[in-house]
Amino acid sequence: MLMAKISRSVLPGFPLSMGITLFWLGIIVLVPLSAVFAKSAAGGWQAFVAAAVSERALAAYKLSFGAALVGAAINCLFGLIVAWVLVRYDFRGKRLFGATIDLPFALPTAVAGIALATLYADTGLIGEQLAEVDLPIAYKPAAVVLALTFIGLPFVVRTLEPVLAEVSQETEEAAMTLGASRMQTIARVILPTLLPALATGFALAFARGAGEYGSVIFIAGNMPFHSEIAPLLIVTQLEEYDFAGAASIAVIMLLVSFTILMVLNLLQHWQRKRMA
């Protein structure tokens, strides 16, 4: 009797737990998303197509998703290096350095946007130097990539850190003892272990970047067909009281983001099964 009582879980049973989970998921996620779909259909199919796939909307999608993909890819490269330094080396100021990585989490997005615009505008500390060599960043599509790279870095670093901590240095030393070069050790021992976590960090950085608004609008320029992101176009439609049009653009963004995340999750699952 005592053993039976000890083995019982302190959490509620599966039916109650699943009921609470589905209820909370429905209230927080499914009901709001369903409302967006319903609102987008209010004007009919023709109105939905006219708003969702207009030339202006397509240009905004291209910039939003393209910049999010580029920013996430950049963060995969440099985020891996940053995570490696934090995990493998001890140095003075390491905790402060690690805390700095989380600043994009803590900063209001508007503050991040103002800070980037101040630095990279033509009169800014960095932007002035870039303008002199004819490489302006502010108020151009490159500024969107810069902002999305800034806000996406912590997702990659924090996802990779625990996996890197589990990679045994003895395994690397054994590979090098057997004749593997440094590059072979990285390519055949370290990277295969990190790929699922790297894909997760990429997906998180992409998802955050695709819907980012506050850190972008201050530095992007917001010119239609050139530097206007899709979230800004949604806000513009709302200001013009075109609620159905704004919902239509939001539905397209939701479907594209969900599809990309689903593909990445399937690839991650396949990678884990292949390594098992």
Side-chain angles (χ1 to χ4, degrees):
M1 181 65 69
L2 179 60
M3 291 299 296
K5 289 183 179 180
I6 294 176
S7 63
R8 291 181 60 187
S9 173
V10 297
L11 297 176
F14 175 76
L16 179 59
S17 299
M18 180 58 70
I20 295 173
T21 301
L22 293 177
F23 172 77
W24 191 248
L25 181 65
I27 293 296
I28 298 299
V29 178
L30 299 181
V31 171
L33 293 183
S34 300
V36 172
F37 278 91
K39 193 65 178 179
S40 67
W45 175 250
Q46 291 183 345
F48 174 84
V49 172
V53 295
S54 65
E55 291 185 11
R56 184 176 178 182
L58 291 176
Y61 300 145
K62 182 179 179 180
L63 179 59
S64 290
F65 292 115
L69 285 171
V70 173
I74 293 173
N75 279 326
C76 281
L77 173 60
F78 292 98
L80 175 58
I81 297 173
V82 172
W84 183 275
V85 170
L86 287 174
V87 172
R88 291 300 178 90
Y89 301 103
D90 290 321
F91 52 92
R92 183 175 298 177
K94 179 178 178 178
R95 291 187 178 182
L96 179 61
F97 183 75
T100 305
I101 300 298
D102 293 327
L103 272 179
F105 284 150
L107 278 178
T109 55
V111 175
I114 293 172
L116 291 173
T118 301
L119 282 175
Y120 288 93
D122 292 343
T123 57
L125 182 63
I126 300 176
E128 185 177 6
Q129 308 301 320
L130 294 174
E132 289 180 356
V133 295
D134 199 25
L135 288 175
I137 290 181
Y139 315 124
K140 296 183 179 296
V144 181
V145 176
L146 174 66
L148 300 188
T149 303
F150 173 80
I151 59 101
L153 179 63
F155 292 96
V156 177
V157 174
R158 296 313 183 197
T159 304
L160 286 172
E161 275 186 301
V163 182
L164 271 173
E166 294 178 358
V167 177
S168 174
Q169 294 189 20
E170 285 77 11
T171 305
E172 302 170 31
E173 293 172 358
M176 298 182 71
T177 301
L178 293 173
S181 65
R182 184 178 297 273
M183 292 304 300
Q184 288 176 327
T185 303
I186 293 174
R188 299 183 181 181
V189 177
I190 299 175
L191 282 183
T193 305
L194 297 180
L195 278 179
L198 199 61
T200 300
F202 178 90
L204 292 173
F206 167 79
R208 170 67 188 275
E212 179 62 19
Y213 175 76
S215 63
V216 176
I217 58 171
F218 292 100
I219 193 175
N222 309 321
M223 295 294 295
F225 303 100
H226 179 64
S227 59
E228 181 182 51
I229 58 173
L232 176 61
L233 182 56
I234 293 174
V235 173
T236 302
Q237 298 283 54
L238 291 174
E239 291 175 347
E240 296 174 355
Y241 300 101
D242 186 4
F243 301 113
S248 300
I249 297 171
V251 165
I252 296 298
M253 290 197 66
L254 174 63
L255 293 177
V256 173
S257 298
F258 181 80
T259 300
I260 293 177
L261 291 176
M262 180 62 69
V263 171
L264 288 172
N265 284 329
L266 289 175
L267 289 174
Q268 183 180 6
H269 178 68
W270 172 80
Q271 176 69 17
R272 285 176 175 172
K273 287 184 65 177
R274 190 174 69 88
M275 294 179 61

